[in-house]
Amino acid sequence: MQNSGTPKRVSIVVIGKCGVGKTSLFNKVVDKTVDIGYSCRCQRLRAGVYQNDVCDIQLIDVPGGDQCASHCGLTYGPLNGIFVVVEYHPRIGSTLVDAFWDTFQVLKYDHLYLVTVVVTKMDHFTAGNKWATAGHVEREICQVFDEDVGVHRVL
């Protein structure tokens, strides 16, 4: 692939409930730590850009729990992706998927092809009888979102 000299701009909005780790994901990807305190109280959109030789990735971080702010993030400009952030919960088939649908209600089904589900706080996973390893539970999460929701990209 030939680089034309001007990196392509990829814009992704990050939405999810309050406290699920949207701002932590944002800070990790753009490699900057912006301490804004308890981000759910921040009533503004933040945009940050991660740059490399191939493309510029613009992440738009919206306040959690606010459907208006999430909708504003969707109208920020042309989007290449939507990260729907949900917090890990052992009840994958109900609690985790319900959290996705609660967040997804600000979207239209036309947006589904842009969605990547990002499951945060996987460090809360503990091995047990149902899943022996984190890898097992991660495969189960991917399968549930693929079959029950129709989202094929899960991080």
Side-chain angles (χ1 to χ4, degrees), residues 94-108:
S94 57
T95 305
L96 196 59
V97 172
D98 287 348
F100 170 82
W101 286 122
D102 286 349
T103 302
F104 187 81
Q105 64 185 319
V106 301
L107 305 174
K108 298 178 183 174

Side-chain angles (χ1 to χ4, degrees), residues 84 86-97 100 116-125 130-131 133-155:
V84 177
V86 294
E87 183 177 351
Y88 169 74
H89 191 281
R91 296 182 66 183
I92 295 166
S94 57
T95 305
L96 196 59
V97 172
F100 170 82
T116 298
V117 176
V118 180
V119 181
T120 60
K121 304 184 183 181
M122 283 296 294
D123 56 326
H124 293 187
F125 166 77
K130 191 167 184 178
W131 297 295
T133 66
H136 289 114
V137 74
E138 289 167 3
R139 283 189 292 281
E140 177 72 16
I141 290 169
C142 290
Q143 182 177 346
V144 165
F145 276 103
D146 183 37
E147 293 175 359
D148 297 353
V149 178
V151 173
H152 312 296
R153 291 176 305 277
V154 180
L155 303 174

Side-chain angles (χ1 to χ4, degrees), residues 47-64:
V49 177
Y50 167 80
Q51 298 176 320
N52 64 27
D53 294 338
V54 178
C55 68
D56 293 346
I57 300 173
Q58 178 182 36
L59 285 183
I60 300 110
D61 182 16
V62 299

Side-chain angles (χ1 to χ4, degrees), residues 14-28 39-40 46 61-62 64 85-87 118-121:
V14 181
I15 64 173
K17 288 184 174 183
C18 199
V20 296
K22 295 178 304 298
T23 300
S24 296
L25 173 67
F26 175 88
N27 288 340
K28 184 78 169 172
S39 64
C40 296
R46 289 189 314 137
D61 182 16
V62 299
V85 182
V86 294
E87 183 177 351
V118 180
V119 181
T120 60
K121 304 184 183 181

